[in-house]
Amino acid sequence: ATVLGLAAVVAALLQPALAVDRSKFRTCEQGSFCRRFKKWIQRPQREEALWSVLPETQQGTPEGGWSFQVKHKSEAGAHLLLQLNTYSSGVVRFRLNE
């Protein structure tokens, strides 16, 4: 009787999961982000870094951390600012801003 009761409980729990109307959800092919991401990961030379930190732009920050300029390989100049702060608790804060 216990096995039969357990089987009934499992069947009752699975019913709602099987009743989902999958037509109301988008597939990966229908989402623009998914399509762009799949195209992006199939690009040639994908192991080549697209962004680089410019070590010559290192500056100290008032909080005791460091800042660097970050440049995309296809752009003439750097337009991102990387800020790193370390704390006595061992936490490293990483911020990347335009």
Side-chain angles (χ1 to χ4, degrees):
T2 307
V3 175
L4 186 58
L6 181 61
V9 169
V10 170
L13 292 174
L14 287 178
Q15 282 297 359
L18 298 174
V20 172
D21 183 3
R22 297 199 181 273
S23 69
K24 294 186 179 186
F25 296 93
R26 288 193 297 175
T27 64
C28 188
E29 288 72 30
Q30 294 170 321
S32 62
F33 171 80
C34 188
R35 285 194 310 267
R36 288 191 312 266
F37 179 72
K38 283 184 173 183
K39 185 177 176 183
W40 185 76
I41 62 172
Q42 293 172 355
R43 71 188 188 286
Q45 297 122 2
R46 74 172 202 210
E47 284 80 27
E48 183 181 322
L50 297 176
W51 297 89
S52 59
V53 174
L54 305 176
E56 65 274 9
T57 63
Q58 178 184 350
Q59 293 183 346
T61 63
E63 302 88 30
W66 302 276
S67 68
F68 300 88
Q69 294 289 319
V70 179
K71 179 185 173 303
H72 190 276
K73 73 174 194 166
S74 300
E75 296 176 349
H79 72 275
L80 296 178
L81 179 65
L82 169 64
Q83 294 176 302
L84 296 172
N85 293 88
T86 57
Y87 299 95
S88 60
S89 64
V91 172
V92 176
R93 185 176 186 190
F94 176 96
R95 291 183 284 180
L96 191 61
N97 296 312
E98 284 191 71

